[in-house]
């Protein structure tokens, strides 16, 4: 529920950037790793959740790599997973239901308080 709250907020805050920002939900298996590649040279793969809870409470790990070949392979892997995923938008039912919005906000608030 907290993740849904965060996704809804992220999608709202990135409205107008849909040509550059998208969220794809991959359901074939659980993937905890986060990754990014920048300018085809810099790559990062890690477990860090970009929130205060992870920054304060969790022991996370990540690796940064400056290598064009690695960045290209990571980007290719990402594009393949995106093709196998479902893109979520603010139009999805889970972001529109008031009861779901309240439950997600409460769950998110509880995590932030812990």
């Amino acid at each position: 529920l907290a993740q849904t709250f965060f996704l809804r907020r992220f999608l709202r805050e990135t409205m107008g950037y849909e040509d550059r920002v998208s969220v794809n939900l991959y359901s074939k298996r659980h993937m905890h790793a986060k990754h990014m590649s920048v300018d085809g040279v810099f790559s990062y793969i890690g477990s860090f959740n970009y929130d205060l809870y992870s920054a304060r409470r969790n022991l996370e790990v990540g690796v940064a790599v400056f290598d064009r070949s690695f960045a290209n392979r990571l980007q290719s892997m990402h594009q393949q997973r995106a093709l196998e995923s479902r893109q979520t938008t603010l139009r999805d039912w889970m972001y529109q239901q008031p009861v779901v919005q309240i439950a997600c906000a409460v769950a998110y608030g509880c995590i932030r308080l812990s």
Side-chain angles (χ1 to χ4, degrees):
L1 291 175
Q3 178 183 0
T4 302
F5 177 85
F6 172 80
L7 282 175
R8 181 174 184 268
R9 188 172 72 179
F10 177 80
L11 290 168
R12 268 196 336 248
E13 291 175 1
T14 57
M15 284 176 59
Y17 298 101
E18 291 85 0
D19 59 325
R20 291 176 276 169
V21 176
S22 65
V23 176
N24 296 290
L25 303 177
Y26 185 74
S27 62
K28 289 189 175 189
R29 68 183 135 177
H30 178 73
M31 290 178 37
H32 184 68
K34 286 75 174 174
H35 66 271
M36 69 175 158
S37 56
V38 179
D39 295 334
V41 177
F42 173 80
S43 301
Y44 171 83
I45 299 176
S47 62
F48 186 77
N49 295 315
Y50 298 97
D51 60 19
L52 290 175
Y53 185 80
S54 290
R56 292 183 311 199
R57 303 262 183 171
N58 294 342
L59 178 60
E60 304 287 356
V61 66
V63 121
V65 178
F66 285 93
D67 181 73
R68 188 172 304 281
S69 175
F70 186 84
N72 288 334
R73 286 194 320 250
L74 184 63
Q75 189 169 5
S76 293
M77 182 194 74
H78 173 78
Q79 289 170 342
Q80 181 60 40
R81 293 295 186 270
L83 291 173
E84 299 169 355
S85 303
R86 179 182 67 81
Q87 186 173 356
T88 186
T89 68
L90 280 174
R91 292 182 301 277
D92 289 350
W93 74 269
M94 65 185 167
Y95 305 119
Q96 302 300 323
Q97 302 300 317
V99 172
V100 173
Q101 290 176 6
I102 292 168
C104 292
V106 169
Y108 184 79
C110 289
I111 289 174
R112 286 193 49 98
L113 289 174
S114 64

